[in-house]
Amino acid sequence: MIYGRCAACKNQRRRCPPDCIFFPYFPPNDSQRFAFVHRIYGGSNVGKKLQQLPHYVREEAANNLYLEAKCRIQDPVYGCVGIISKLYQQIHDTQIELAKIQTQIAFHKLQNPQFQAEKSNFNVESNLNSLPPQSNNSMGQFQWPSQATNWFN
Amino acid sequence: MIYGRCAACKNQRRRCPPDCIFFPYFPPNDSQRFAFVHRIYGGSNVGKKLQQLPHYVREEAANNLYLEAKCRIQDPVYGCVGIISKLYQQIHDTQIELAKIQTQIAFHKLQNPQFQAEKSNFNVESNLNSLPPQSNNSMGQFQWPSQATNWFN
């Protein structure tokens, strides 16, 4: 039954029990997937983490552990935190541009009174004011690293 | 000299050698910092990771390992990947709003020819077209999970 062993049991050169915690999430045909989480977390740590979770979230957890491990292997200094930092910066830059546009529209409306009467055709500012909740929160949220430390606190 | 031991050596109840790899990044006065990375990666794994890096990036790496570990402890299913996913979604929503505004401005300019002559006062569209490089790439970049898999590939 050697070909029936999951990637974790193959890697550890052990028998793969019928109730193997790894089998559903680290199939025999994807040895790299387990190799990555084993390298970053250690195989037994991954097994423990999965055991501690309810069955219905284990696949999601295994996928995310794999992604984080892959990211850490690609970027041993920053890992996933490097991606989060870049995204905060990009959101911050975009929010600054939105604020500039809002100012320019307000200035244009002051300069062009007839502009006021065209709200039905041109309600940019109201749109800017009704950005989706996530985006409305952006300016406040996307403070890196201070905001990030909130996520992590 | 027990009080001189770093948090890692204290945790492992061992002597802290003068050249301890952990000492500069896991000081004696912050036991939680090591406890978190130990819980997620295992202490020896963290030591190995730091050893493999040049001295000048070890502090940054230790900080990011701590943040990722803290995030994984707070969210055992999604960890840092959960934060990345939320940020992609927020950026995507903001980009959709930007596209809407760009369309409304173009429509307004068609409806109001005199608007063309006011570029000096009102150059919103040019601003929208000159979003910072990160933001210009946003629409293309912020596709989750496909873009994320690019990061991780």
Side-chain angles (χ1 to χ4, degrees):
Chain A
M1 290 293 293
I2 188 162
Y3 296 112
R5 293 187 302 173
C6 71
C9 293
K10 265 187 188 173
N11 179 289
Q12 304 291 296
R13 293 187 168 74
R14 68 188 172 209
R15 193 180 63 82
C16 190
D19 61 346
C20 178
I21 182 70
F22 295 102
F23 194 94
Y25 320 113
F26 298 97
N29 60 351
D30 189 353
S31 58
Q32 191 197 51
R33 185 175 159 92
F34 179 77
F36 279 13
V37 296
H38 179 54
R39 183 168 153 192
I40 297 302
Y41 301 104
S44 60
N45 263 341
V46 173
K48 265 184 258 164
K49 286 173 178 50
L50 293 175
Q51 287 282 11
Q52 290 162 357
L53 293 170
H55 284 76
Y56 66 92
V57 293
R58 286 179 182 174
E59 183 171 4
E60 193 66 55
N63 291 339
N64 293 325
L65 284 168
Y66 168 63
L67 288 176
E68 274 184 40
K70 201 167 185 178
C71 189
R72 172 66 50 187
I73 287 166
Q74 288 173 343
D75 184 347
V77 177
Y78 292 95
C80 274
V81 178
I83 295 175
I84 292 172
S85 179
K86 286 175 191 159
L87 293 179
Y88 273 114
Q89 188 54 55
Q90 291 173 4
I91 290 169
H92 181 66
D93 294 341
T94 306
Q95 289 296 322
I96 287 172
E97 286 306 313
L98 272 174
K100 280 186 198 164
I101 291 162
Q102 213 160 5
T103 307
Q104 288 178 341
I105 289 168
F107 176 78
H108 178 72
K109 288 172 76 173
L110 282 172
Q111 298 293 310
N112 303 271
Q114 91 287 353
F115 190 80
Q116 297 288 345
E118 296 166 4
K119 277 209 160 162
S120 57
N121 286 346
F122 192 61
N123 55 351
V124 170
E125 197 181 63
S126 62
N127 261 39
L128 283 165
N129 293 336
S130 64
L131 285 172
Q134 304 97 316
S135 309
N136 273 337
N137 297 337
S138 303
M139 283 300 270
Q141 268 187 7
F142 301 144
Q143 302 303 318
W144 178 263
S146 62
Q147 172 58 28
T149 54
N150 294 344
W151 288 89
F152 294 120
N153 280 344
Chain B
M1 288 296 291
I2 189 162
Y3 296 111
R5 294 187 304 173
C6 72
C9 293
K10 267 188 187 172
N11 179 289
Q12 303 292 295
R13 292 188 170 73
R14 66 186 172 210
R15 193 179 63 80
C16 190
D19 60 346
C20 177
I21 182 72
F22 295 103
F23 194 94
Y25 320 113
F26 298 97
N29 60 352
D30 189 353
S31 58
Q32 192 198 49
R33 187 175 158 91
F34 179 76
F36 279 14
V37 296
H38 179 54
R39 182 167 154 194
I40 297 301
Y41 301 104
S44 59
N45 263 342
V46 173
K48 266 185 258 164
K49 286 172 178 49
L50 293 174
Q51 287 282 10
Q52 291 161 357
L53 294 169
H55 284 77
Y56 65 91
V57 293
R58 285 179 184 175
E59 182 172 6
E60 193 66 54
N63 291 340
N64 293 325
L65 284 167
Y66 168 62
L67 288 176
E68 273 184 41
K70 201 167 185 178
C71 188
R72 173 64 50 188
I73 287 165
Q74 288 173 341
D75 184 347
V77 177
Y78 293 95
C80 274
V81 177
I83 294 175
I84 293 172
S85 179
K86 285 174 192 160
L87 293 178
Y88 274 112
Q89 187 55 56
Q90 290 173 4
I91 290 169
H92 181 66
D93 294 342
T94 305
Q95 289 297 321
I96 287 172
E97 286 306 314
L98 271 175
K100 278 185 199 165
I101 291 161
Q102 215 160 2
T103 308
Q104 287 179 340
I105 289 167
F107 176 78
H108 177 72
K109 288 174 74 172
L110 281 172
Q111 297 294 310
N112 304 270
Q114 92 289 354
F115 190 80
Q116 298 287 347
E118 295 165 7
K119 278 210 160 158
S120 56
N121 287 346
F122 191 63
N123 57 352
V124 170
E125 198 179 62
S126 61
N127 261 39
L128 283 165
N129 293 334
S130 64
L131 284 172
Q134 304 96 316
S135 309
N136 273 338
N137 298 337
S138 302
M139 284 300 270
Q141 268 186 9
F142 301 143
Q143 302 302 317
W144 179 263
S146 61
Q147 172 57 29
T149 55
N150 294 342
W151 288 90
F152 295 120
N153 282 340

